[in-house]
Amino acid sequence: MSNRVSESVPERTFQYQDSLPPLPVPSLQSSLSKYLDAVHPFASEKEFAATVNIVKKFQHGIGKELHQKLLQRAKNRRNWLEEWWLDAAYLEVRIPSQLNVNFGGPAPYLEHYWPPEEGTCLQRASISTWYSLQYWNLIHTEQLAPQKSGKTPFDMDQFRMLYNTCKVPGIKKDSILNYFKTEVKGPCPSHLVVMCRGRIFAFDAIHDGQILTPPELLRQLSYVKERCDREPEGDGVPALTSDERTRWAKAREHLISIDPHNESILETIQSSLFVISLDESKPYSTAENYTNLTAEALAGNPIIRWGDKSYNSIVFSDGTFGSTCDHAPYDAMVLVSMCWYLDQEIKAAEGKWKGSDRVRQMPHPEELLFTLDEKVRSDISHAKQQYLESTKDIQIVCYAFTAFGKSVIRHKKLHPDSFVQLAMQLAYYRLHKKLGSCYETATTRKFFHGRTETMRPCTQEAVNWCKAMMDPTCDVVDKRKAMLLAFDKHNKLMGEAQNGNGFDRHLLGLYLIAKEEGLQVPELFTDPLYSRSGGGGNFVLSSSLVGYTTVLGVVAPMVHHGYGFFYRIRDDRIVISISAWKSCHETDAPSLFNNFSTSLHEMLHLATVSQL
């Protein structure tokens, strides 16, 4: 009987948080042997021998001590990495985060009911905003089903960070302000902020306890748009969020010192549900070519998006959509979950609102007007200038490969993600005639507050296979054998990383303990092979499977001579977004895509040969 009762009670969003296992600390020996395995492909025999010695010395010396201290730390914390990761990966980073750290991406609605079309943007925005508010309400009332891998629940804590969240710059280190509360915990801010032509407006998304309907949202958005169209452009304060972090922190302190009212405006923006950016550009895109939309989402107009906000919903004037999000408070899977929900709901409703057209009496949006002086104006113009120079340098492509997708790959009994990863490496190898250190995101969400681990796809097996593919004397049978070995190794490493048995975060922990204790940086981390193989955030290919849905995004490359490589896999196609820096003359995103397409075809051929 009790079983049937529990089945009928829906699971609550955060119900498993207390029972999730703590993030484990792998053994020192296993991490170091995996590390040696990972750096081997990048070394000559002589270099490798030297690194083996460094690692041995570390393992029996300082490394042993640091590892003991790490185990002590893990005793008192359910996630020994969490604070460190936030600081080292995000909050202490000083480069401008809007272009370098944020993720941006296109919305997929143009593939069904909302193709680019003039005069539709506000109507559509009111509907997409309404669904975003429904999703907020699902989390707020804990009705969003907890995510799982098979039967294993995933940590859902990052979902608290999607709404009502903002990063705030600091002189040495930023911080994250989260104003979100679930219904049981108390009231949660429910206002939206709209940015248009350098001006900022706010209105409440709930009136008399009811979320505004699309017709009501349309009225509020139309009010903002009409005013901005007929009045002069605003001061563009949001551009400050695109500057170098310490500069923005100082500019923000100055802004607050001019007038205490400025601080309350900042508080209104920070605590808002999210930001709606009304963008005048028309980044024409199609289901096969999302390039314009993706580039505009990540690197578009700085005076209408708040770079530090966890979610900016961008409404383009041709009725297409995108977003840009601060990466510090959560990983992309959270946004992907919301956008996939939106896409399915909008598709099911055929892109229309079918409810009541009644619009209740409610206050107009209020304009948020900062008091500025000459210094702030010059800070704004400096921020805009450095942002525009940087965005000129980024190269982004986003294309669909439509020859085949997940169905065909699965039919060959191969893992679709590993398939794409190997094709990416072969593409890089063919284009650059050398190995590229690779990073693929692995999720560690089966652990308490788990985020990610590094999986390093550039294995010796992958390298052997790339060499075989480029060798005219190598026959098809041997190429195929090499490919299958590379697949097996990739799948094995990915499984280990997801189970908390990777080695990159462990090594980072040891490094940070040494730093905290004021010790000399151990030789392991200064060894040239450490950074050449990608360590210390030096991966040439920074990649991630965004999922098996319609949602995709892009992040800038990790290093100047590198690429960002992000993809989603559908039954009949693979959609890829690639970023590179134009000022690096070696790299070229369209060439990598073309080589990638060729690699996919060659791999399918190899997978098919055996079946003949």
Side-chain angles (χ1 to χ4, degrees):
M1 180 64 199
S2 64
N3 252 358
R4 281 175 55 196
V5 171
S6 66
E7 271 173 29
S8 64
V9 177
E11 296 176 301
R12 299 182 71 71
T13 311
F14 303 112
Q15 79 176 55
Y16 296 111
Q17 292 304 111
D18 292 341
S19 55
L20 291 165
L23 186 71
V25 179
S27 82
L28 183 60
Q29 193 195 338
S30 82
S31 287
L32 293 175
S33 89
K34 284 172 191 172
Y35 169 68
L36 285 174
D37 212 20
V39 303
H40 201 186
F42 298 90
S44 66
E45 280 315 306
K46 191 177 166 193
E47 287 170 321
F48 187 64
T51 295
V52 168
N53 278 331
I54 291 171
V55 166
K56 269 192 185 140
K57 218 169 85 184
F58 180 80
Q59 185 178 348
H60 299 296
I62 184 70
K64 200 173 173 180
E65 286 173 47
L66 297 172
H67 183 67
Q68 284 311 314
K69 288 183 173 155
L70 183 58
L71 291 173
Q72 276 307 114
R73 177 184 170 95
K75 267 187 189 155
N76 315 322
R77 290 176 171 80
R78 288 180 67 191
N79 189 318
W80 56 267
L81 176 65
E82 186 177 15
E83 265 169 70
W84 273 348
W85 180 249
L86 205 51
D87 289 352
Y90 298 110
L91 302 180
E92 288 167 359
V93 176
R94 297 291 87 195
I95 55 172
S97 48
Q98 192 165 324
L99 190 63
N100 296 289
V101 183
N102 279 32
F103 47 85
Y109 322 130
L110 58 81
E111 295 195 20
H112 44 84
Y113 292 102
W114 290 355
E117 190 186 329
E118 295 290 316
T120 60
C121 67
L122 293 186
Q123 188 84 40
R124 291 173 178 182
S126 67
I127 294 172
S128 84
T129 300
W130 188 77
Y131 284 117
S132 303
L133 294 169
Q134 298 305 311
Y135 199 76
W136 166 79
N137 196 44
L138 285 175
I139 304 172
H140 179 59
T141 55
E142 293 187 68
Q143 291 179 77
L144 181 69
Q147 296 179 340
K148 298 181 178 184
S149 167
K151 290 193 170 166
T152 308
F154 267 178
D155 184 278
M156 294 294 286
D157 190 62
Q158 293 179 45
F159 281 80
R160 301 178 200 272
M161 302 288 176
L162 178 54
Y163 298 93
N164 307 102
T165 301
C166 198
K167 186 166 65 182
V168 173
I171 303 291
K172 287 206 164 81
K173 177 178 135 178
D174 299 347
S175 50
I176 292 172
L177 294 181
N178 174 246
Y179 303 80
F180 175 81
K181 280 197 177 109
T182 55
E183 208 172 33
V184 262
K185 290 276 163 55
C188 175
S190 57
H191 60 284
L192 287 165
V193 164
V194 184
M195 300 190 177
C196 181
R197 301 195 63 221
R199 296 168 69 182
I200 308 170
F201 294 79
F203 66 90
D204 207 313
I206 294 181
H207 182 69
D208 287 342
Q210 298 287 315
I211 289 176
L212 270 57
T213 62
E216 292 169 336
L217 290 164
L218 177 60
R219 197 194 75 165
Q220 301 294 55
L221 294 175
S222 303
Y223 172 84
V224 172
K225 182 91 173 72
E226 281 157 19
R227 276 196 56 185
C228 291
D229 283 348
R230 67 169 191 264
E231 296 166 14
E233 188 172 278
D235 298 307
V237 173
L240 292 172
T241 64
S242 71
D243 213 337
E244 190 271 341
R245 302 306 297 170
T246 302
R247 269 194 84 103
W248 161 216
K250 289 176 178 164
R252 186 177 179 276
E253 284 181 359
H254 179 72
L255 186 62
I256 290 168
S257 74
I258 303 171
D259 181 345
H261 180 60
N262 287 346
E263 187 163 18
S264 72
I265 295 178
L266 289 168
E267 182 79 7
T268 301
I269 296 167
Q270 287 155 197
S271 61
S272 64
L273 288 161
F274 56 95
V275 168
I276 299 172
S277 308
L278 300 181
D279 195 313
E280 292 172 282
S281 61
K282 297 170 187 173
Y284 184 77
S285 290
T286 64
E288 282 66 49
N289 182 351
Y290 274 103
T291 297
N292 294 336
L293 197 47
T294 309
E296 206 55 49
L298 187 71
N301 187 351
I303 65 170
I304 54 164
R305 55 230 4 225
W306 200 261
D308 293 343
K309 198 71 185 139
S310 59
Y311 175 41
N312 293 267
S313 170
I314 309 164
V315 181
F316 295 105
S317 68
D318 63 356
T320 57
F321 294 80
S323 59
T324 178
C325 305
D326 172 34
H327 204 328
Y330 65 84
D331 297 313
M333 293 326 296
V334 174
L335 189 81
V336 170
S337 304
M338 182 196 70
C339 294
W340 174 230
Y341 166 85
L342 258 64
D343 191 42
Q344 289 171 295
E345 295 288 333
I346 289 167
K347 199 173 175 180
E350 299 174 346
K352 298 185 186 76
W353 169 245
K354 296 176 178 173
S356 158
D357 286 337
R358 190 173 84 86
V359 175
R360 295 169 290 173
Q361 274 302 128
M362 61 186 74
H364 282 303
E366 177 194 354
E367 183 162 15
L368 307 177
L369 283 165
F370 285 101
T371 309
L372 303 185
D373 63 7
E374 277 319 300
K375 184 183 176 327
V376 180
R377 288 200 172 86
S378 100
D379 285 338
I380 292 170
S381 92
H382 173 275
K384 279 201 270 200
Q385 195 185 339
Q386 72 75 31
Y387 177 76
L388 295 171
E389 272 171 30
S390 310
T391 53
K392 273 195 200 112
D393 188 31
I394 198 162
Q395 180 187 39
I396 290 171
V397 298
C398 183
Y399 300 130
F401 170 87
T402 55
F404 60 86
K406 184 174 72 179
S407 305
V408 170
I409 299 170
R410 284 248 187 255
H411 183 247
K412 304 292 176 199
K413 302 196 168 38
L414 294 169
H415 194 300
D417 178 55
S418 311
F419 198 98
V420 171
Q421 282 285 330
L422 287 170
M424 171 187 81
Q425 290 187 73
L426 181 57
Y428 182 90
Y429 192 73
R430 182 179 276 125
L431 182 58
H432 294 285
K433 311 287 182 276
K434 62 180 181 189
L435 301 184
S437 57
C438 292
Y439 164 99
E440 183 185 359
T441 310
T443 182
T444 50
R445 279 179 57 203
K446 59 169 71 166
F447 302 105
F448 179 76
H449 287 192
R451 286 189 64 165
T452 60
E453 173 60 275
T454 297
M455 188 261 146
R456 298 196 188 195
C458 190
T459 60
Q460 191 60 56
E461 289 80 352
V463 173
N464 296 345
W465 171 66
C466 287
K467 286 180 175 163
M469 293 299 282
M470 303 292 283
D471 178 357
T473 66
C474 186
D475 73 8
V476 146
V477 175
D478 288 339
K479 285 179 180 172
R480 183 184 148 74
K481 262 189 198 150
M483 179 175 85
L484 294 178
L485 287 171
F487 262 97
D488 289 345
K489 182 64 175 268
H490 190 100
N491 298 343
K492 176 174 177 274
L493 289 181
M494 182 50 96
E496 288 173 355
Q498 290 172 342
N499 284 321
N501 289 319
F503 65 85
D504 274 88
R505 301 289 183 271
H506 185 191
L507 292 185
L508 173 71
L510 301 175
Y511 170 81
L512 290 173
I513 284 192
K515 196 174 131 186
E516 275 183 8
E517 307 251 326
L519 303 169
Q520 193 184 350
V521 175
E523 197 183 355
L524 179 93
F525 302 103
T526 55
D527 175 12
L529 208 46
Y530 179 73
S531 54
R532 194 189 313 158
S533 62
N538 286 293
F539 292 99
V540 173
L541 280 161
S542 158
S543 73
S544 197
L545 163 66
V546 181
Y548 297 94
T549 74
T550 53
V551 185
L552 186 58
V554 71
V555 181
M558 257 191 207
V559 290
H560 186 247
H561 58 288
Y563 294 98
F565 192 101
F566 306 91
Y567 51 96
R568 60 184 181 86
I569 304 174
R570 301 295 283 160
D571 283 343
D572 63 339
R573 64 183 52 205
I574 300 166
V575 189
I576 306 97
S577 56
I578 305 176
S579 58
W581 297 108
K582 293 176 190 165
S583 53
C584 172
H585 299 301
E586 294 167 41
T587 56
D588 183 59
S591 302
L592 187 64
F593 176 80
N594 291 337
N595 277 286
F596 173 70
S597 298
T598 308
S599 302
L600 289 170
H601 282 293
E602 288 182 359
M603 286 176 69
L604 184 63
H605 177 68
L606 276 192
T608 307
V609 167
S610 68
Q611 297 184 320
L612 296 178

